[in-house]
Amino acid sequence: MTLLNFDLWTGRRVFVTGHMGFKGAWLCALLSRLGAETFGYGWDPRPRLLYRELDLKRHQSLEGNINDTAMLGAALTGFRPEVVLHLAAQSLVLPSYADPIGTFDTNVMGTARVLDAVRNIPSIRAVVVVTSDKVYRNNEWVWGYRETDPLGGKDPYSASKAAAEIVVHSMARSYFADAGAARIATARAGNVIGGGDWADHRLLPDAARAFSTEQPLPVRNPHSSRPWQHVLDPLAGYLMLAEQLLAQKPDPLGAWNFGPSADDVLSVREVADLFAGAWGGGVSWRAENDPSQAAREAGLLAIDSSLARKELGWLPRWKAKDAVTRTASWYRRNTAGESAVVLVDEDIRDFLDNRFKCADAGV
Ligand SMILES: NC(=O)c1ccc[n+]([C@@H]2O[C@H](COP(=O)([O-])OP(=O)(O)OC[C@H]3O[C@@H](n4cnc5c(N)ncnc54)[C@H](O)[C@@H]3O)[C@@H](O)[C@H]2O)c1
């Protein structure tokens, strides 16, 4: 089992949108470690960003709106990337209720604008558009959703990501069907965790904030189950997908799930227990009763990643329990003064080394 093709990424020119966000920062750090040249495009007004704490090599950054057609086009034209990874988004469910129009503008029109700009850049050979596991019509099934299941979305965020899927597949068929055109696919992953996420309304950042000030963590929906995974797992999947697109291999669906194993689903309660245990010092959490809020967030939602496993050779490297305890340790050490550069690099090194361990073991 191989993970990433290191040689392929050395010196590769990769354009990342949403680079200042949580996944974008980790992705640029991973690409930097693989030797790629990255250009980040996006903007992020949040006061604390992992991205700003990293020391990225061979990296340029431009702070611009994804819907600024002229600025986006000029950035792509100037950089001449071979690979585009589109992550910029309004990425949270609860704020999408407060600002549905902004969410649709960024997530749907922003995606259309990225692909429209890509049409004019001949150097681009592969585009991965990151959507979400929430693109599926959620029937609260116990089994995992497959790429062929119907799209849906009861809240504005989920609907915007499902709509982005339709935009991508229509544009791929309309403008990128010829031989030699850029190859395009969507990537659907679930909740990710890892150090340095400081977003509101996410369990682990909320836990780190609460525990670092010795407060109990308020937990919504403790009995909900979620497919937790470490951020590096789907990021490796996105890059493996890009490798596949660069190789021009057949891709009849153009949509790929990257979720944890079916037996690796944890409840919110289990995650809160694990995180508090790994943090130590007697920290605790309490269930928060807010039925109106609970109804606004989906219950069980798992995805089936058999396609990525079979066709890309992608497998989650870290079990949910390991991802939670590793993340708790990241935040605790960072709170104690260790730099994000060191902590991110340590996780990336461990993650990539696992590849060699797995390869040696013939997994
Ligand atoms: N983190 C998760 O658990 C998760 C789960 C499923 C899907 N996703 C998807 O993965 C991608 C990355 O997620 P993330 O967790 O890093 O979220 P994030 O919010 O940290 O990152 C998104 C980035 O896009 C930026 N952005 C928002 N509007 C923009 C605009 N109009 N122009 C330019 N930039 C803009 C944000 O400010 C942020 O920097 C998103 O597309 C998200 O929907 C994330």
Side-chain angles (χ1 to χ4, degrees):
M1 175 71 61
T2 56
L3 182 60
L4 288 162
N5 178 348
F6 285 25
D7 292 342
L8 181 142
W9 293 103
T10 309
R12 187 77 61 177
R13 298 171 76 78
V14 185
F15 192 93
V16 178
T17 75
H19 65 301
M20 299 171 77
F22 173 58
K23 276 187 180 174
W26 275 93
L27 182 56
C28 290
L30 176 59
L31 284 164
S32 169
R33 181 133 194 118
L34 293 170
E37 290 188 34
T38 52
F39 189 112
Y41 183 95
W43 68 276
D44 200 321
R46 288 175 290 183
R48 181 158 190 198
L49 292 175
L50 173 66
Y51 174 76
R52 294 204 193 281
E53 296 173 28
L54 297 177
D55 176 26
L56 299 169
K57 307 282 181 272
R58 298 170 299 280
H59 176 72
Q60 304 172 54
S61 168
L62 183 63
E63 295 193 24
N65 192 325
I66 206 71
N67 280 316
D68 185 332
T69 309
M71 194 170 177
L72 175 67
L76 281 164
T77 308
F79 184 59
R80 288 181 290 104
E82 294 165 271
V83 177
V84 174
L85 301 162
H86 175 46
L87 282 79
Q90 192 300 95
S91 62
L92 297 166
V93 172
L94 293 179
S96 80
Y97 283 101
D99 183 14
I101 301 302
T103 301
F104 287 121
D105 267 349
T106 297
N107 296 1
V108 187
M109 289 312 298
T111 300
R113 286 201 167 85
V114 168
L115 293 188
D116 198 40
V118 167
R119 292 170 63 194
N120 302 315
I121 319 287
S123 62
I124 299 172
R125 295 172 51 214
V127 182
V128 174
V129 175
V130 172
T131 62
S132 170
D133 61 354
K134 295 193 172 62
V135 297
Y136 294 109
R137 191 169 71 206
N138 188 354
N139 300 312
E140 309 278 331
W141 284 330
V142 291
W143 54 85
Y145 293 80
R146 290 188 180 153
E147 290 84 347
T148 45
D149 280 327
L151 300 174
K154 288 179 184 162
D155 60 85
Y157 170 75
S158 306
S160 74
K161 286 289 183 175
E165 288 274 346
I166 294 170
V167 165
V168 172
H169 298 299
S170 74
M171 290 186 80
R173 279 186 190 84
S174 304
Y175 305 111
F176 300 95
D178 293 343
R183 301 288 304 276
I184 300 174
T186 57
R188 306 165 179 175
N191 277 15
V192 292
I193 57 175
D197 185 4
W198 299 110
D200 294 328
H201 311 298
R202 286 184 184 161
L203 180 63
L204 273 63
D206 285 347
R209 276 186 289 265
F211 297 163
S212 60
T213 54
E214 294 174 8
Q215 300 295 312
L217 165 71
V219 173
R220 299 186 304 266
N221 301 346
H223 300 294
S224 293
S225 290
R226 299 264 186 274
W228 313 89
Q229 60 187 165
H230 193 274
V231 61
L232 285 169
D233 264 318
L235 294 184
Y238 303 162
L239 296 185
M240 292 171 83
L241 174 54
E243 290 176 8
Q244 169 107 342
L245 298 174
L246 285 168
Q248 301 265 324
K249 295 205 179 136
D251 179 6
L253 296 174
W256 299 78
N257 286 345
F258 295 98
S261 310
D263 59 357
D264 201 22
V265 173
L266 296 177
S267 69
V268 171
R269 161 188 288 276
E270 288 172 307
V271 170
D273 281 340
L274 276 170
F275 194 100
W279 189 280
V283 293
S284 61
W285 62 271
R286 60 177 159 72
E288 192 175 69
N289 265 336
D290 184 353
S292 63
Q293 208 77 318
R296 294 182 143 212
E297 294 183 290
L300 181 70
L301 202 158
I303 53 176
D304 178 334
S305 306
S306 308
L307 186 66
R309 278 167 213 201
K310 179 165 183 300
E311 298 297 326
L312 304 179
W314 176 83
L315 268 177
R317 297 282 135 177
W318 285 337
K319 292 274 185 201
K321 277 186 180 169
D322 299 334
V324 172
T325 50
R326 181 175 279 272
T327 302
S329 158
W330 197 108
Y331 281 113
R332 193 175 32 74
R333 289 171 60 189
N334 188 242
T335 302
E338 282 192 65
S339 102
V341 175
V342 170
L343 294 170
V344 165
D345 201 51
E346 217 173 86
D347 278 349
I348 290 176
R349 267 191 293 117
D350 287 355
F351 185 82
L352 295 178
D353 283 346
N354 273 352
R355 178 194 71 153
F356 302 115
K357 283 181 202 147
C358 288
D360 291 348
V363 175

